[in-house]
Amino acid sequence: MGPLERTELVCISDALIASYSGMVPGVLAGNYTRDQMNIDLVRFTKSVGGWLIRDRVLTIDPEARSIEFENRPPLSFDLLSIGIGSRPDKSVITQDLPKVLPIKPMQTLLDRMEIGVTELQNQKIRAPRIVVVGGGTGGIEIAFCIPNFLRSRGFENYEITVVHSGEKLSSGVLDSTERKIRQALQAKGVKVLDGCRAEKILPDRMELTGGRELDYDLALWATSAVAPELFQQLDFPKDEKGFLLTRPTLQALNSDAVFVVGDSGTLEQNPTPKAGLYAVRQGPILWENIRRFFGQVPLVEYRPQKNFLKLINTGDGKAIGEYKGFSFWNKWAWKLKNRIDTRFMSKYQDYNRPMSGMTPSTDEPEMRCLGCGGKIGGSLLSRVLKRLDVPQGEDVLVGLDQPDDCAVMRPSTENVVLTTDFFAAPVDDPYLAGRIGALNSLSDVFVMGADPTAALAIITLPHGREKNQEELLFQVLSGSLHELRKCGCSLVGGHTIEGPQLTVGFTIMAEPHSAGSSDGSIEFTKGNLQAGDRLILTKPIGSGAILAAHMNAECEHETMRVLCESMTLGNQQAAQIGRNHGVQAMTDVTGFGLAGHLVEMLKASQLAADLSLGEIPLFPGAADLLARGIQSTLAPANRDAEIRIEAREPQRNLPAYSALFDPQTCGGVLLGVPEKDCASVLSLLVETGHPHAREIGQVRERKSDETLIRIC
């Protein structure tokens, strides 16, 4: 929220939300909604001008300062902070048991509980037996609050048992606080089995120490914290439970450039319990030391607090608290907890801050050279190309393996198909931007019935440090190559220049598909629609409004997730399905919007069409954004197509009508399908990963004075 000069901030997460564990029991009790306990990482990182990378980290190399991912290329870093929490000890769970739900990760706990409770309802279990394995504050609060959750799902009768191996339910509390916790649990009808440890877990019962058995219908696993599984792969000094050992400055013992905070780290000289209260106090120390690290000044030490306020939600409008030798249990303690938690979360749920991003360096000249002086340095480009695995096709005579002034290709057909397309990156993750940029450029040749053979990159990198630019270019080209490889297209050259923002695009060379005519001509053009053809759209529309909202940090994480999945779904397969079923006319729906591209097809074919507004699929959230007047800057110009559209006034006021003019990024394919093949094409599209494919209209003959499109 306070960016550093010449520094790019990257947030890496395997989820698009961050859940505040302190409010999860309150959501179970009905005190809060889910949204109140979550930070939307898509909106948050956008609001502060950072990148958001959603992927699973496989390992971290502290010497090379590199992070390896499951689904994307490595990312280098200058400084890394690890704060991925902990997980309950599941060592006694030796098989996959759907009825056993670990309380972490918190982001998915409520969804998993909904599934578990729904299964109880399906099995007609009227009085479910719920077991919370593990005491501690986390398990105790869930035991207090789960009755409200069960009652809200229609269960009036239930049995809740806490299995706890320690002497105290909540370690480190006063005896008076412990008594209040037990009194409150007893008042709730919650049984407590002290001195018991679950030794073996079976599908519907668990074996406890001393030979005791306990039947259960749903078990919530809240045992003591152990290190995340990732840490087993890291070559870092660790404590006996696998957590990363740190110095008082919160740095890892073996790396000045790696900080470890919260549950993830253990202070070597002064270990503390795994509790969120310590993590909160570490935050300001971490940020101060990050600033000092880059300023090359001595770091400050974190000294754990000895006293802090403890508050436990009892789920009935009260809380049990403890502070400086005093314990209490009343309504004002709950009010205090509620105030603290909601104020804390409000800091991170305000997504209306002006975007900051990487700030300019004070020691760089204000004016940057233009013309050829704005090119990216040759040594930087050379380093990036060495890091990339760039395959060369057999038809490439001169490419990146032996770069010259031009690439040289050996075409295998008489005709060559060419297109070029580029845009300012619509997302902050450069790897994702590279994938989208490649797919956007490739789409034109797919719908023309051509096979891409070579690509020339067109990339603008923002001004900044050479090291930052190198990493940015590597990520962009890695994402692009991910898509180019899949369709057998070689990257043979390009041009990279500095500018105010990241832009990505490609010139694509292609050859007519082998299924085309014998002379190598193109048969699949916009002008080949036939009267009676059914219009099929393979993807939803509304991406322009969503990306406009995203620019202002107004796009929610689920909406962005669905959009990114769609933008990274290439159109090659959809075009191939069309070709295999006699489709002669298709186009990709991109910048001019659905209406603009359909008008182009109808004009070229000298036909008209009826469009079913209610059948046109919209992205989740798009209708709401359009209704609020959020639109792309290109949308007003796209409304020039309205003169070709006949629609009633109520129809023109609908969000779906506005979506007709919404420019699409990596939009779907619009196909004119013979009526007899319509059902087959739709079925194949759904089977091959196009679940939103819809028949949206029909082509018909056009009278001389008719409009091109009639809204039905």
Side-chain angles (χ1 to χ4, degrees), residues 379-399:
S379 60
L380 185 158
L381 188 58
S382 177
R383 290 195 301 272
V384 170
L385 293 176
K386 286 180 180 178
R387 295 171 64 186
L388 295 168
D389 177 19
V390 185
Q392 298 296 327
E394 295 180 358
D395 49 356
V396 180
L397 300 180
V398 178

Side-chain angles (χ1 to χ4, degrees), residues 455-467:
L456 297 169
I458 310 165
I459 296 176
T460 304
L461 295 178
H463 305 302
R465 290 194 308 162
E466 184 174 300
K467 186 175 182 179

Side-chain angles (χ1 to χ4, degrees), residues 8 102 203 220 231 276 299 361 368 501 507 531 550 570 655 660 682 686:
E8 193 73 69
L220 297 169
F231 290 0
L299 307 189
S361 167
R368 304 287 297 188
Q501 60 183 327
T507 295
H550 182 55
L660 296 177
L682 277 172
V686 172

Side-chain angles (χ1 to χ4, degrees), residues 565-626:
E565 285 183 356
S566 177
M567 290 192 296
T568 51
L569 174 64
N571 286 328
Q572 186 175 24
Q573 196 166 37
Q576 182 65 52
I577 290 171
R579 288 198 300 266
N580 293 344
H581 286 78
V583 173
Q584 296 296 310
M586 65 179 85
T587 188
D588 57 336
V589 179
T590 53
F592 297 147
L594 176 59
H597 289 287
L598 178 56
V599 164
E600 288 180 337
M601 296 182 76
L602 295 171
K603 287 174 66 177
S605 305
Q606 298 182 349
L607 295 168
D610 292 331
L611 210 56
S612 300
L613 199 61
E615 296 299 320
I616 298 173
L618 300 182
F619 283 109
D624 177 62
L625 294 172
L626 289 164

